[in-house]
Amino acid sequence: MVLGAVSMFVAHSGFSRIILGAYCTLFGIATGGLEFQIPPQVARYASFMFSFIGRGVFYIFIGSVILGDGVFSYIAGTVVGAVGVAYVVLEFIPSIEPPENMREADAGWGAEQV
């Protein structure tokens, strides 16, 4: 994700691509950080990142944003989008359980504790 965003900075195809590159870099760093530590705010406000389908749709969205003018942008956007499609497919395979870092926030947003 971050490499695709870097390709947006290198292309210099306008101010909007620089802003999109900054957002993709920020989202890439944040997504990478979720693999190591999950702040409580993320579990509350970005709970979609803790399900296969939510994370998959997010990756498909970021992959479509990364698609741009250069060959490297096409490759990076296609790879990120394909990972998103794979996450969505994993949602519908019952024998596959989410990894530990995706299960940690299951009882977070909207869950009632008795």
Side-chain angles (χ1 to χ4, degrees):
M1 218 180 286
V2 175
L3 291 176
V6 169
S7 73
M8 290 183 192
F9 291 121
V10 173
H12 295 295
S13 53
F15 183 70
S16 63
R17 295 300 285 179
I18 293 172
I19 297 297
L20 286 174
Y23 274 113
C24 287
T25 302
L26 177 71
F27 288 145
I29 291 170
T31 303
L34 284 178
E35 297 298 324
F36 301 107
Q37 183 178 6
I38 301 172
Q41 296 86 2
V42 173
R44 182 171 176 88
Y45 297 112
S47 60
F48 63 90
M49 291 296 285
F50 301 104
S51 72
F52 282 134
I53 197 161
R55 193 174 283 201
V57 169
F58 178 73
Y59 275 46
I60 292 169
F61 171 72
I62 295 297
S64 67
V65 169
I66 292 173
L67 288 173
D69 298 331
V71 174
F72 190 71
S73 294
Y74 283 125
I75 293 171
T78 303
V79 168
V80 172
V83 169
V85 170
Y87 269 123
V88 171
V89 169
L90 286 176
E91 177 72 26
F92 299 105
I93 300 175
S95 63
I96 306 243
E97 291 186 23
E100 184 65 34
N101 64 345
M102 289 176 71
R103 282 183 277 176
E104 197 160 316
D106 279 346
W109 201 77
E112 300 277 339
Q113 291 187 0
V114 180

